[in-house]
Amino acid sequence: MMSGRDSGGGMRIGELARRAGVSVKAVRYYESLGLVTPARLANGYRDYDEHDVRLVGEIKSLSGLGIPVERTRPFLECLAAGREHGDDCPAALAGYREAIDDLTRRIDALAARRAVLTAHLREAAHRDSGTPWTYDEESAMTDDLTQLPPDLPVPEDDGAARHLPGLAVPRAELASTAGGTVRTDALGPGRTVLYFFPLIGTPDQDLPEGWNSIPGARGCTPETCGFRDHHAELREAGAERVFGISVQSEGYLRGIVDRLRLPFVLLSDPGPVLADGLRLPTFEAAGKRLFSRLTLIVRDGVIEHVFYPVFPPDAHAQQVLEWLRANPLPADGTTAPPHA
């Protein structure tokens, strides 16, 4: 029998349940387990007091932590012994440890199940297909990331890139999918194509919620595949180097390079350091700051031309190729960029 009861009661089960924030049925269940033992009046009615309110409140709190009702007894006995807190006794601490061990076993089991499901998802996503697939929350259907959905919103030119032509590219050391880093202020002589993209999805990860409705967000995979497919032509047209740049990690981007079989490297700028140095346009999505889609033609370290906004992304590499062909480097070998 638990002690600690007040000398006077006068409380009925409905009032106890209301004050403790539980149902009458729950109180009766606690009584059936012997966790709450009210006094009995002469007429046989149960008579509860403040101690019972505290016991029921303790059971409710512990249940919210994931401790089964049946295992709350050590905590209640600690209160009945006059302790200020239900976990002031060694037996209660042992109850915590037991509950933690149970949770750990359940977490391990769920993690193992999750790993199996992830493996099945990846296998199914890549099976008999050379293109990546993902689940699109907006259309509730499997969606080929290499294709653009119809009626994508067209981004407008907000003037956020007008200051860029003629600027020298500042120094930033960006992790490369080829290993090591690339210094943006030392790209080398001639022309370099730097295309900035928000993020590339993978078969086992959903795109951010509402992604298709953000102007200029959707289309990183077809844009990148376009630079892949036109890479040799871009080189022939005078692009010494092509780099794709995203805030995504180098390890993640390395997987993209392998999966899409890219002949060029991708660079990671999670800061984003280069974006801040050049004051590039960015936007927020999925709790992250992402690049707005934009391409720079850099010539001998200076920004010669800017493509912004970029739309449609699947035709952008062809657009860059046409500009390079229409603006060949001087035949005399001069290196000073023309007036932007």
Side-chain angles (χ1 to χ4, degrees), residues 108-267:
D108 290 344
L110 289 172
R113 187 182 304 173
R114 181 181 185 277
V116 172
L117 286 171
T118 299
H120 280 288
L121 171 60
R122 289 174 176 168
E123 179 183 358
H126 289 285
R127 186 183 300 130
D128 299 326
S129 174
T131 59
W133 297 74
T134 190
Y135 182 79
D136 182 53
E137 299 258 353
E138 295 180 330
S139 60
M141 62 181 290
T142 52
D143 186 13
D144 184 354
L145 289 179
T146 63
Q147 304 298 318
L148 294 178
D151 302 324
L152 280 178
V154 179
E156 298 181 358
D157 188 352
D158 56 4
R162 292 175 187 169
H163 65 286
L164 292 171
L167 291 183
V169 179
R171 174 169 178 165
E173 295 192 12
L174 308 183
S176 165
T177 55
T181 60
V182 170
R183 272 183 51 184
T184 56
D185 65 333
L187 295 172
R191 282 172 169 161
T192 300
V193 175
L194 299 178
Y195 76 95
F196 295 79
F197 59 90
L199 61 81
I200 293 181
T202 62
D204 53 346
Q205 291 188 4
D206 291 340
L207 294 171
E209 183 177 357
W211 190 246
N212 288 358
S213 64
I214 302 174
R218 178 67 185 265
C220 299
T221 297
E223 179 187 25
T224 297
C225 289
F227 278 107
R228 175 197 65 191
D229 298 340
H230 290 292
H231 184 255
E233 296 171 278
L234 291 166
R235 293 291 305 276
E236 291 174 1
E240 298 293 335
R241 293 155 293 275
V242 175
F243 295 110
I245 305 178
S246 169
V247 301
Q248 294 170 291
S249 70
E250 179 271 332
Y252 183 95
L253 293 175
R254 193 185 312 121
I256 299 298
V257 169
D258 294 340
R259 179 162 57 84
L260 298 183
R261 299 181 178 88
L262 302 183
F264 54 87
V265 303
L266 299 179
L267 305 179

Side-chain angles (χ1 to χ4, degrees), residues 2-6 49-56 79-80:
M2 294 183 183
S3 61
R5 182 171 299 281
D6 294 341
D49 60 15
E50 294 298 327
H51 179 67
D52 295 316
V53 175
R54 189 175 186 193
L55 291 180
V56 173
L79 289 177

